[in-house]
Amino acid sequence: MDISSYILLSHEQALRRRLDIAANNMANASTVGFHRERPVFHEYVERAKDAMVPDAKAASFVLDYRAAQDTRPGAFEATGNPLDVMIDGPGYFAVEAPGGGTAYTRAGFIKVNDSGDLVTSGGQKILDDGGRPLSVPPDALASLSIGADGTVLSKDGPLGRIGVTVFGDDGALTPRGDGMMNGAGGRVLGASETRLRSGGVEGSNVQPIVETTELVDILRSYQSSMKIADAINDMRSRAIQRLGRIG
């Protein structure tokens, strides 16, 4: 293939990446705590030593850099459960990840398991501001509540404080595929910095109409790319025919 074909191929790979991300966003339009992603691309310019004309020496390729999260919060969805909470601002709940380690999520469905631990809807233990699981005595279940600073309260007083972790760059977080994220280098917010809203959870910030528009734009870009490829093929065919007549 010549350089024009490689450039078109890099463009179509970028379109495939956009399609995958837009489809994933659409699939998670009703997933609690999900933040939509958007692709980030870099331009790579390759400069050839020789070319028929000076303008042809530079060839611009599209490189897939990463997927960045849209960190705008989703809408508050009331559930009526006083243990369900939404992070009103930046940050993630830290939980014990399946298989060990720590994972992060913004899905605030919280319940108490049979062992008395605060857990997510998937059964992962919620960690406090010191990185330890939060336990609830059996006699405190009826009076349990969560304060705006993350403090877990019972009739006998505070039992601990739910940790909310922030990261300098949310792009450092990587999806695990189970609704949670992996990350490193986070900072646990202090009580005065933490803002939780109880009685509900954060909905997905995906706007289906925006993703639908993105899918239509990707389709049109694919169609334009195919037309360019056809035009290049026609140009090659004509060039070969003319060279044949000259020979």
Side-chain angles (χ1 to χ4, degrees):
M1 291 191 295
D2 60 20
I3 193 67
S4 59
S5 297
Y6 283 115
I7 291 173
L8 272 178
L9 180 60
S10 76
H11 176 242
E12 289 170 359
Q13 287 176 328
L15 290 175
R16 173 60 184 271
R17 176 68 163 154
R18 285 177 61 191
L19 178 63
D20 290 343
I21 290 176
N24 184 61
N25 289 340
M26 284 288 283
N28 287 280
S30 59
T31 299
V32 169
F34 180 83
H35 283 176
R36 72 180 293 268
E37 295 181 324
R38 55 186 178 83
V40 178
F41 299 107
H42 278 181
E43 180 186 29
Y44 174 74
V45 179
E46 181 177 310
R47 299 190 179 276
K49 293 181 180 179
D50 301 310
M52 295 295 292
V53 293
D55 289 345
K57 288 185 178 181
S60 177
F61 295 87
V62 183
L63 295 182
D64 183 6
Y65 180 57
R66 69 175 188 183
Q69 279 196 343
D70 180 353
T71 57
R72 290 176 295 182
F76 179 78
E77 297 182 355
T79 62
N81 179 6
L83 296 185
D84 289 341
V85 289
M86 168 183 170
I87 300 174
D88 188 10
Y92 300 83
F93 300 113
V95 302
E96 282 191 354
T102 303
Y104 300 92
T105 180
R106 285 183 67 92
F109 285 122
I110 296 178
K111 61 183 180 180
V112 181
N113 66 9
D114 295 337
S115 300
D117 297 313
L118 285 184
V119 297
T120 66
S121 59
Q124 291 80 35
K125 293 181 181 179
I126 302 285
L127 303 181
D128 65 11
D129 51 1
R132 299 174 298 271
L134 280 160
S135 297
V136 178
D139 59 351
L141 293 177
S143 60
L144 207 59
S145 64
I146 298 175
D149 64 352
T151 301
V152 181
L153 301 165
S154 72
K155 59 182 179 59
D156 298 321
L159 302 175
R161 194 172 71 85
I162 294 174
V164 176
T165 304
V166 295
F167 295 85
D169 179 12
D170 283 346
L173 291 164
T174 56
R176 292 169 47 92
D178 55 3
M180 296 183 290
M181 314 282 284
N182 285 329
R187 178 179 70 87
V188 179
L189 295 177
S192 61
E193 301 174 285
T194 303
R195 299 192 307 274
L196 298 185
R197 187 175 175 184
S198 61
V201 294
E202 176 188 7
S204 171
N205 70 354
V206 173
Q207 300 179 47
I209 188 64
V210 172
E211 303 306 325
T212 301
T213 303
E214 173 73 357
L215 291 171
V216 171
D217 184 63
I218 293 169
L219 174 61
R220 290 175 176 170
S221 296
Y222 261 124
Q223 292 171 337
S224 297
S225 183
M226 291 175 62
K227 289 179 181 178
I228 293 172
D230 290 340
I232 291 173
N233 288 333
D234 290 342
M235 182 179 63
R236 289 197 193 106
S237 297
R238 290 196 299 270
I240 291 171
Q241 291 173 0
R242 290 178 182 177
L243 287 173
R245 289 198 295 269
I246 293 173

